[in-house]
Amino acid sequence: MKPSPSLLCTALCLALVCMPAHAYIDPNAGGMLFQLLAPVFATVIGVWLFLRQWISGLLRRFWRRLTGRNAE
């Protein structure tokens, strides 16, 4: 069963009708979002930089045990 051309035309017209959007976003919403997320990102990056050698050594030892290679 194929849709009729008039049905397709009607659906296309309804999809392309421009309706005004009655929405408001506070201009400072981006600043508030940045203030909330900046400390989170800074903490994650700081922890990663502080612990990266320990984490990489731990993963390296685990991989050597898993593959059966001797410590080099």
Side-chain angles (χ1 to χ4, degrees), residues 42-56 59:
T43 303
V44 169
I45 291 171
V47 168
W48 173 255
L49 291 176
F50 185 72
L51 296 176
R52 70 179 173 180
Q53 289 180 341
W54 181 77
I55 292 170
S56 65
L59 291 175

Side-chain angles (χ1 to χ4, degrees), residues 7-18:
L7 180 63
L8 289 176
C9 184
T10 304
L12 184 64
C13 288
L14 288 174
L16 296 177
V17 170
C18 294

Side-chain angles (χ1 to χ4, degrees), residues 17-70:
V17 170
C18 294
M19 304 269 307
H22 300 289
Y24 176 74
I25 297 176
D26 185 32
N28 200 21
M32 185 174 65
L33 186 63
F34 177 75
Q35 287 178 356
L36 290 172
L37 293 178
V40 173
F41 288 138
T43 303
V44 169
I45 291 171
V47 168
W48 173 255
L49 291 176
F50 185 72
L51 296 176
R52 70 179 173 180
Q53 289 180 341
W54 181 77
I55 292 170
S56 65
L58 185 69
L59 291 175
R60 193 177 302 118
R61 284 191 305 271
F62 176 72
W63 182 254
R64 285 182 183 154
R65 284 184 187 171
L66 190 65
T67 59
R69 294 182 185 170
N70 293 333

